[in-house]
Amino acid sequence: MAKLIDGKAIAAEIRCEIAADVQALCARGVQPGLAVILVGDDPASAVYVRNKKKACEQTGIRSESYELPADTTEEQLLALIRKLNADPAIHGILVQLPLPSHLDQKTVIHTISPEKDVDAFHPVNVGKIMIGDYDFLPCTPAGVMALLERSGIDCTGKECVVVGRSNIVGKPQAMLLLHANGTVTVCHSHTKNLAEVTRRADILVVAVGRADFVGADMVKPGAVVVDVGMNRRADGKLTGDVDFAAVEPIASYITPVPGGVGPMTITMLLKNTVKSAEKSAETLDRQSSRVI
Ligand code: NAP
């Protein structure tokens, strides 16, 4: 039977540390601020935005939310982002994706200042992750790494297999596992003999977006299994990409869905916002020591 990696508990522990960091920053005269922009009325996105706002409040981060109508023009959206880029009270800017189809996601992401890109989607930040010299880590893969670290799982020398190669999960996940000295294989929809590859994994991270995609036949006994998937069953219940009931008896560690990777994503967003505010505080400290 696998040990359960309790994402909810680990996220709560990290949020306490974040709240302490926020207090320390406030004492230095800087309250971290996050701006969240939502365009349109996608109900799932509205829930994510509400959760982010709540998490900010719990940790002492100031949040501003901008809920824009679905017919917002690209120029209007870009003007708001430029205004927030220039606002010293805002340390992180997040544009909730997906955007309505008339808005170009790439242009929007490129307009966010890399210093405030707490989602780490801007090409400057993506490049920094590649060379291992980063300010912000992409939230979901960083959340996975924190789960592994806090469960005492060392990636050094391990066979790590990532299923999925999206820009927001699979690719950066592979890079972070590589930085943690894992031997990394990335699989996708064209991978041949997928089960043969996944069965080599000591650490298996699954980010496909299909309920019960990974069964026991795809997992090596004793493997660590991290399920990033978030899928809705017909009855509305949230479920992962891993068939939990089948895989749990043979894995050494496993993340549940819900309560695994999910709570970590917002936590890492808060962490990035605090990191950005810390950089601001350092700049202010340097400026004031020059004045003295
Ligand atoms: P995505 O952009 O749709 O990417 C899915 C990946 O799975 C693609 O790389 C695709 O390969 C691969 N794939 C699809 N069918 C496959 C198959 N039969 N065999 C092997 N690989 C296959 O999805 P995503 O944004 O990465 O998200 C993945 C899942 O994670 C979703 O359920 C999403 O909701 C969830 N998610 C959760 C969180 C969280 O906070 N927990 C955050 C983000 C995402 P190709 O590239 O070849 O098409």
Side-chain angles (χ1 to χ4, degrees):
M1 240 174 75
K3 279 193 190 147
L4 205 67
I5 299 181
D6 185 345
K8 236 172 142 177
I10 294 174
E13 187 182 293
I14 298 175
R15 286 184 198 192
C16 282
E17 295 163 12
I18 291 172
D21 291 342
V22 170
Q23 268 194 350
L25 272 167
C26 288
R28 287 164 72 190
V30 176
Q31 182 182 18
L34 175 70
V36 182
I37 305 174
L38 172 65
V39 188
D41 42 23
D42 177 56
S45 293
V47 172
Y48 292 139
V49 167
R50 261 206 311 279
N51 289 344
K52 283 165 188 168
K53 205 170 166 203
K54 207 165 118 195
C56 282
E57 280 161 13
Q58 284 166 351
T59 47
I61 294 174
R62 199 173 66 81
S63 75
E64 286 181 7
S65 39
Y66 294 86
E67 284 164 31
L68 309 180
D71 61 356
T72 300
T73 65
E74 194 161 287
E75 207 29 66
Q76 286 169 327
L77 177 57
L78 299 186
L80 172 60
I81 294 172
R82 288 193 195 102
K83 183 172 95 75
L84 294 167
N85 281 343
D87 183 344
I90 291 297
H91 305 96
I93 302 170
L94 180 147
V95 178
Q96 186 65 47
L97 302 178
L99 287 167
S101 58
H102 67 284
L103 300 171
D104 182 38
Q105 188 169 304
K106 205 159 125 185
T107 308
V108 170
I109 289 172
H110 289 201
T111 304
I112 299 172
S113 159
E115 285 81 33
K116 296 190 179 188
D117 167 41
V118 284
D119 257 338
F121 290 165
H122 192 288
V124 166
N125 288 321
V126 174
K128 285 181 160 193
I129 292 157
M130 184 83 180
I131 58 173
D133 174 24
Y134 37 75
D135 299 312
F136 303 129
L137 287 175
C139 301
T140 301
V144 170
M145 297 311 289
L147 287 180
L148 294 176
E149 276 159 31
R150 294 204 179 215
S151 306
I153 297 160
D154 184 4
C155 299
T156 306
K158 301 269 170 64
E159 288 285 344
C160 302
V161 175
V162 180
V163 191
R165 58 169 170 180
S166 69
N167 288 333
I168 61 165
V169 188
K171 279 186 209 155
Q173 186 68 70
M175 204 47 65
L176 298 192
L177 289 163
L178 189 61
H179 290 321
N181 299 320
T183 301
V184 184
T185 305
V186 184
C187 303
H188 46 78
S189 65
H190 300 276
T191 299
K192 293 205 168 66
N193 305 323
L194 181 65
E196 229 169 74
V197 182
T198 58
R199 270 199 306 269
R200 289 206 303 261
D202 300 311
I203 299 173
L204 178 62
V205 182
V206 190
V208 171
R210 283 217 231 158
D212 298 336
F213 181 76
V214 169
D217 60 318
M218 293 174 75
V219 177
K220 176 165 84 175
V224 173
V225 180
V226 180
D227 189 354
V228 180
M230 288 204 312
N231 313 290
R232 287 270 164 213
R233 289 198 189 279
D235 61 5
K237 282 202 178 130
L238 194 65
T239 189
D241 288 349
V242 175
D243 179 347
F244 188 89
V247 171
E248 190 267 346
I250 62 164
S252 58
Y253 287 85
I254 191 165
T255 61
V257 179
V261 177
M264 296 299 288
T265 298
I266 295 184
T267 305
M268 294 298 127
L269 172 74
L270 304 176
K271 213 172 158 76
N272 282 344
T273 306
V274 169
K275 191 159 191 195
S276 173
E278 267 161 5
K279 287 194 124 191
S280 265
E282 279 161 22
T283 309
L284 288 175
D285 288 350
R286 269 200 303 277
Q287 283 166 352
S288 63
S289 68
R290 252 185 248 133
V291 171
I292 293 162

mmCIF file of all heavy atoms in Angstrom, residues 140 163-166 168-169 188-190 194 207-210 213 228-231 241 261-262 265, ligand 1:
data_model
loop_
_atom_site.group_PDB
_atom_site.id
_atom_site.type_symbol
_atom_site.label_atom_id
_atom_site.label_comp_id
_atom_site.label_asym_id
_atom_site.label_seq_id
_atom_site.Cartn_x
_atom_site.Cartn_y
_atom_site.Cartn_z
ATOM 1 N N THR A 140 2.461 24.738 -11.237
ATOM 2 C CA THR A 140 2.105 23.324 -11.047
ATOM 3 C C THR A 140 3.355 22.440 -10.946
ATOM 4 O O THR A 140 3.491 21.677 -9.979
ATOM 5 C CB THR A 140 1.146 22.857 -12.160
ATOM 6 O OG1 THR A 140 -0.016 23.695 -12.104
ATOM 7 C CG2 THR A 140 0.736 21.414 -11.983
ATOM 8 N N VAL A 163 4.496 12.073 -18.317
ATOM 9 C CA VAL A 163 3.576 11.826 -19.434
ATOM 10 C C VAL A 163 2.812 13.117 -19.677
ATOM 11 O O VAL A 163 2.066 13.581 -18.810
ATOM 12 C CB VAL A 163 2.611 10.652 -19.156
ATOM 13 C CG1 VAL A 163 1.866 10.280 -20.443
ATOM 14 C CG2 VAL A 163 3.358 9.443 -18.622
ATOM 15 N N GLY A 164 3.017 13.701 -20.865
ATOM 16 C CA GLY A 164 2.458 15.020 -21.194
ATOM 17 C C GLY A 164 3.601 15.986 -21.445
ATOM 18 O O GLY A 164 4.618 15.938 -20.738
ATOM 19 N N ARG A 165 3.438 16.838 -22.453
ATOM 20 C CA ARG A 165 4.523 17.781 -22.798
ATOM 21 C C ARG A 165 3.974 19.186 -23.038
ATOM 22 O O ARG A 165 4.451 19.909 -23.919
ATOM 23 C CB ARG A 165 5.268 17.286 -24.045
ATOM 24 C CG ARG A 165 4.347 17.115 -25.238
ATOM 25 C CD ARG A 165 5.099 16.878 -26.515
ATOM 26 N NE ARG A 165 4.179 16.479 -27.573
ATOM 27 C CZ ARG A 165 4.547 16.196 -28.800
ATOM 28 N NH1 ARG A 165 5.809 16.246 -29.135
ATOM 29 N NH2 ARG A 165 3.641 15.854 -29.698
ATOM 30 N N SER A 166 2.948 19.573 -22.269
ATOM 31 C CA SER A 166 2.402 20.924 -22.454
ATOM 32 C C SER A 166 3.407 21.948 -21.934
ATOM 33 O O SER A 166 4.289 21.625 -21.134
ATOM 34 C CB SER A 166 1.074 21.071 -21.706
ATOM 35 O OG SER A 166 1.306 21.050 -20.314
ATOM 36 N N ILE A 168 2.738 24.355 -19.958
ATOM 37 C CA ILE A 168 2.523 24.759 -18.568
ATOM 38 C C ILE A 168 2.799 23.635 -17.561
ATOM 39 O O ILE A 168 3.063 23.909 -16.408
ATOM 40 C CB ILE A 168 1.115 25.382 -18.324
ATOM 41 C CG1 ILE A 168 0.001 24.404 -18.634
ATOM 42 C CG2 ILE A 168 0.927 26.663 -19.088
ATOM 43 C CD1 ILE A 168 -1.327 24.865 -18.051
ATOM 44 N N VAL A 169 2.753 22.395 -18.011
ATOM 45 C CA VAL A 169 3.026 21.313 -17.048
ATOM 46 C C VAL A 169 4.191 20.418 -17.512
ATOM 47 O O VAL A 169 5.276 20.434 -16.934
ATOM 48 C CB VAL A 169 1.781 20.442 -16.752
ATOM 49 C CG1 VAL A 169 2.085 19.474 -15.613
ATOM 50 C CG2 VAL A 169 0.548 21.263 -16.400
ATOM 51 N N HIS A 188 4.423 11.533 -24.841
ATOM 52 C CA HIS A 188 3.315 12.311 -25.414
ATOM 53 C C HIS A 188 2.468 11.381 -26.265
ATOM 54 O O HIS A 188 2.675 10.163 -26.248
ATOM 55 C CB HIS A 188 3.877 13.502 -26.204
ATOM 56 C CG HIS A 188 5.013 13.120 -27.089
ATOM 57 N ND1 HIS A 188 4.838 12.486 -28.292
ATOM 58 C CD2 HIS A 188 6.356 13.227 -26.883
ATOM 59 C CE1 HIS A 188 6.018 12.239 -28.814
ATOM 60 N NE2 HIS A 188 6.952 12.677 -27.982
ATOM 61 N N SER A 189 1.566 11.973 -27.035
ATOM 62 C CA SER A 189 0.593 11.127 -27.735
ATOM 63 C C SER A 189 1.221 10.292 -28.859
ATOM 64 O O SER A 189 0.592 9.376 -29.367
ATOM 65 C CB SER A 189 -0.546 11.984 -28.291
ATOM 66 O OG SER A 189 -0.057 12.860 -29.270
ATOM 67 N N HIS A 190 2.462 10.597 -29.244
ATOM 68 C CA HIS A 190 3.120 9.802 -30.295
ATOM 69 C C HIS A 190 4.121 8.799 -29.729
ATOM 70 O O HIS A 190 4.803 8.113 -30.490
ATOM 71 C CB HIS A 190 3.847 10.738 -31.279
ATOM 72 C CG HIS A 190 2.924 11.701 -31.956
ATOM 73 N ND1 HIS A 190 2.205 11.378 -33.087
ATOM 74 C CD2 HIS A 190 2.568 12.953 -31.623
ATOM 75 C CE1 HIS A 190 1.455 12.409 -33.427
ATOM 76 N NE2 HIS A 190 1.650 13.380 -32.555
ATOM 77 N N LEU A 194 3.978 3.057 -24.718
ATOM 78 C CA LEU A 194 3.952 3.949 -23.554
ATOM 79 C C LEU A 194 4.105 3.189 -22.223
ATOM 80 O O LEU A 194 4.890 3.575 -21.358
ATOM 81 C CB LEU A 194 2.655 4.771 -23.571
ATOM 82 C CG LEU A 194 2.484 5.766 -22.436
ATOM 83 C CD1 LEU A 194 3.529 6.877 -22.501
ATOM 84 C CD2 LEU A 194 1.091 6.378 -22.455
ATOM 85 N N ALA A 207 0.419 14.027 -16.614
ATOM 86 C CA ALA A 207 -0.330 15.265 -16.907
ATOM 87 C C ALA A 207 -0.880 15.161 -18.319
ATOM 88 O O ALA A 207 -0.348 15.735 -19.270
ATOM 89 C CB ALA A 207 0.579 16.480 -16.766
ATOM 90 N N VAL A 208 -1.945 14.390 -18.446
ATOM 91 C CA VAL A 208 -2.525 14.089 -19.763
ATOM 92 C C VAL A 208 -3.907 14.730 -19.911
ATOM 93 O O VAL A 208 -4.240 15.296 -20.952
ATOM 94 C CB VAL A 208 -2.595 12.554 -19.964
ATOM 95 C CG1 VAL A 208 -3.400 12.192 -21.212
ATOM 96 C CG2 VAL A 208 -1.196 11.973 -20.068
ATOM 97 N N GLY A 209 -4.719 14.618 -18.864
ATOM 98 C CA GLY A 209 -6.073 15.155 -18.947
ATOM 99 C C GLY A 209 -7.100 14.108 -19.356
ATOM 100 O O GLY A 209 -8.086 14.412 -20.020
ATOM 101 N N ARG A 210 -6.840 12.843 -18.955
ATOM 102 C CA ARG A 210 -7.811 11.778 -19.244
ATOM 103 C C ARG A 210 -7.991 10.916 -18.007
ATOM 104 O O ARG A 210 -7.008 10.344 -17.490
ATOM 105 C CB ARG A 210 -7.270 10.873 -20.364
ATOM 106 C CG ARG A 210 -7.398 11.469 -21.717
ATOM 107 C CD ARG A 210 -7.744 10.342 -22.679
ATOM 108 N NE ARG A 210 -6.855 10.365 -23.817
ATOM 109 C CZ ARG A 210 -6.617 9.330 -24.583
ATOM 110 N NH1 ARG A 210 -7.150 8.151 -24.309
ATOM 111 N NH2 ARG A 210 -5.840 9.442 -25.617
ATOM 112 N N PHE A 213 -6.305 7.211 -16.968
ATOM 113 C CA PHE A 213 -5.441 6.890 -18.105
ATOM 114 C C PHE A 213 -4.328 5.906 -17.700
ATOM 115 O O PHE A 213 -3.955 5.019 -18.463
ATOM 116 C CB PHE A 213 -4.832 8.204 -18.634
ATOM 117 C CG PHE A 213 -3.940 8.036 -19.808
ATOM 118 C CD1 PHE A 213 -4.473 7.810 -21.067
ATOM 119 C CD2 PHE A 213 -2.560 8.104 -19.666
ATOM 120 C CE1 PHE A 213 -3.635 7.651 -22.164
ATOM 121 C CE2 PHE A 213 -1.726 7.940 -20.753
ATOM 122 C CZ PHE A 213 -2.263 7.721 -22.010
ATOM 123 N N VAL A 228 -1.161 14.757 -11.902
ATOM 124 C CA VAL A 228 -1.462 16.185 -12.091
ATOM 125 C C VAL A 228 -2.878 16.369 -12.658
ATOM 126 O O VAL A 228 -3.490 17.418 -12.520
ATOM 127 C CB VAL A 228 -0.417 16.842 -13.031
ATOM 128 C CG1 VAL A 228 -0.713 18.316 -13.247
ATOM 129 C CG2 VAL A 228 0.993 16.671 -12.467
ATOM 130 N N GLY A 229 -3.414 15.338 -13.263
ATOM 131 C CA GLY A 229 -4.693 15.427 -13.985
ATOM 132 C C GLY A 229 -5.849 15.933 -13.136
ATOM 133 O O GLY A 229 -5.931 15.667 -11.930
ATOM 134 N N MET A 230 -6.707 16.707 -13.799
ATOM 135 C CA MET A 230 -7.944 17.159 -13.131
ATOM 136 C C MET A 230 -9.057 16.983 -14.147
ATOM 137 O O MET A 230 -9.142 17.739 -15.114
ATOM 138 C CB MET A 230 -7.838 18.640 -12.740
ATOM 139 C CG MET A 230 -6.903 18.883 -11.576
ATOM 140 S SD MET A 230 -7.237 20.397 -10.659
ATOM 141 C CE MET A 230 -7.376 21.582 -11.922
ATOM 142 N N ASN A 231 -9.855 15.961 -13.938
ATOM 143 C CA ASN A 231 -10.922 15.658 -14.896
ATOM 144 C C ASN A 231 -12.241 15.568 -14.130
ATOM 145 O O ASN A 231 -12.260 15.188 -12.965
ATOM 146 C CB ASN A 231 -10.646 14.309 -15.568
ATOM 147 C CG ASN A 231 -9.202 14.209 -16.053
ATOM 148 O OD1 ASN A 231 -8.820 14.885 -17.007
ATOM 149 N ND2 ASN A 231 -8.386 13.382 -15.398
ATOM 150 N N ASP A 241 -5.673 11.526 -13.541
ATOM 151 C CA ASP A 241 -5.328 10.739 -14.731
ATOM 152 C C ASP A 241 -4.943 9.312 -14.362
ATOM 153 O O ASP A 241 -4.760 8.467 -15.233
ATOM 154 C CB ASP A 241 -4.121 11.376 -15.445
ATOM 155 C CG ASP A 241 -4.466 12.677 -16.140
ATOM 156 O OD1 ASP A 241 -5.660 12.995 -16.252
ATOM 157 O OD2 ASP A 241 -3.535 13.371 -16.578
ATOM 158 N N VAL A 261 -1.846 17.466 -6.089
ATOM 159 C CA VAL A 261 -1.132 18.572 -6.747
ATOM 160 C C VAL A 261 -1.969 19.867 -6.728
ATOM 161 O O VAL A 261 -1.420 20.960 -6.602
ATOM 162 C CB VAL A 261 -0.772 18.178 -8.205
ATOM 163 C CG1 VAL A 261 -0.100 19.329 -8.931
ATOM 164 C CG2 VAL A 261 0.129 16.942 -8.213
ATOM 165 N N GLY A 262 -3.285 19.725 -6.852
ATOM 166 C CA GLY A 262 -4.167 20.890 -6.962
ATOM 167 C C GLY A 262 -3.879 22.002 -5.952
ATOM 168 O O GLY A 262 -3.620 23.134 -6.351
ATOM 169 N N THR A 265 -0.689 24.280 -6.539
ATOM 170 C CA THR A 265 -0.521 25.224 -7.648
ATOM 171 C C THR A 265 -0.720 26.662 -7.163
ATOM 172 O O THR A 265 0.119 27.529 -7.404
ATOM 173 C CB THR A 265 -1.489 24.847 -8.795
ATOM 174 O OG1 THR A 265 -1.129 23.540 -9.237
ATOM 175 C CG2 THR A 265 -1.388 25.802 -9.960
HETATM 176 P P1 NAP B 1 -2.631 19.532 -22.390
HETATM 177 O O1 NAP B 1 -2.051 20.842 -22.781
HETATM 178 O O2 NAP B 1 -3.889 19.058 -23.035
HETATM 179 O O3 NAP B 1 -1.503 18.405 -22.622
HETATM 180 C C1 NAP B 1 -1.801 17.045 -22.500
HETATM 181 C C2 NAP B 1 -0.580 16.257 -22.846
HETATM 182 O O4 NAP B 1 -0.916 14.880 -22.782
HETATM 183 C C3 NAP B 1 -0.065 16.519 -24.274
HETATM 184 O O5 NAP B 1 1.325 16.697 -24.268
HETATM 185 C C4 NAP B 1 -0.447 15.245 -25.030
HETATM 186 O O6 NAP B 1 0.464 14.858 -26.047
HETATM 187 C C5 NAP B 1 -0.418 14.212 -23.923
HETATM 188 N N1 NAP B 1 -1.247 13.070 -24.286
HETATM 189 C C6 NAP B 1 -2.541 13.092 -24.738
HETATM 190 N N2 NAP B 1 -2.941 11.832 -25.027
HETATM 191 C C7 NAP B 1 -1.887 11.029 -24.761
HETATM 192 C C8 NAP B 1 -1.668 9.629 -24.901
HETATM 193 N N3 NAP B 1 -2.623 8.810 -25.371
HETATM 194 N N4 NAP B 1 -0.465 9.132 -24.559
HETATM 195 C C9 NAP B 1 0.515 9.951 -24.091
HETATM 196 N N5 NAP B 1 0.373 11.282 -23.951
HETATM 197 C C10 NAP B 1 -0.813 11.802 -24.289
HETATM 198 O O7 NAP B 1 -2.897 19.467 -20.827
HETATM 199 P P2 NAP B 1 -2.147 20.192 -19.582
HETATM 200 O O8 NAP B 1 -2.510 21.614 -19.560
HETATM 201 O O9 NAP B 1 -0.735 19.794 -19.535
HETATM 202 O O10 NAP B 1 -2.927 19.492 -18.389
HETATM 203 C C11 NAP B 1 -2.911 18.091 -18.185
HETATM 204 C C12 NAP B 1 -3.832 17.708 -17.066
HETATM 205 O O11 NAP B 1 -3.379 18.361 -15.881
HETATM 206 C C13 NAP B 1 -5.287 18.200 -17.240
HETATM 207 O O12 NAP B 1 -6.150 17.278 -16.637
HETATM 208 C C14 NAP B 1 -5.320 19.507 -16.485
HETATM 209 O O13 NAP B 1 -6.623 19.835 -16.027
HETATM 210 C C15 NAP B 1 -4.411 19.169 -15.345
HETATM 211 N N6 NAP B 1 -3.794 20.329 -14.702
HETATM 212 C C16 NAP B 1 -3.837 20.354 -13.367
HETATM 213 C C17 NAP B 1 -3.263 21.409 -12.683
HETATM 214 C C18 NAP B 1 -3.307 21.409 -11.198
HETATM 215 O O14 NAP B 1 -3.166 22.450 -10.570
HETATM 216 N N7 NAP B 1 -3.468 20.243 -10.579
HETATM 217 C C19 NAP B 1 -2.660 22.464 -13.373
HETATM 218 C C20 NAP B 1 -2.586 22.387 -14.762
HETATM 219 C C21 NAP B 1 -3.161 21.300 -15.409
HETATM 220 P P3 NAP B 1 0.682 15.724 -27.410
HETATM 221 O O15 NAP B 1 1.536 16.876 -26.995
HETATM 222 O O16 NAP B 1 1.360 14.772 -28.320
HETATM 223 O O17 NAP B 1 -0.682 16.147 -27.851
#
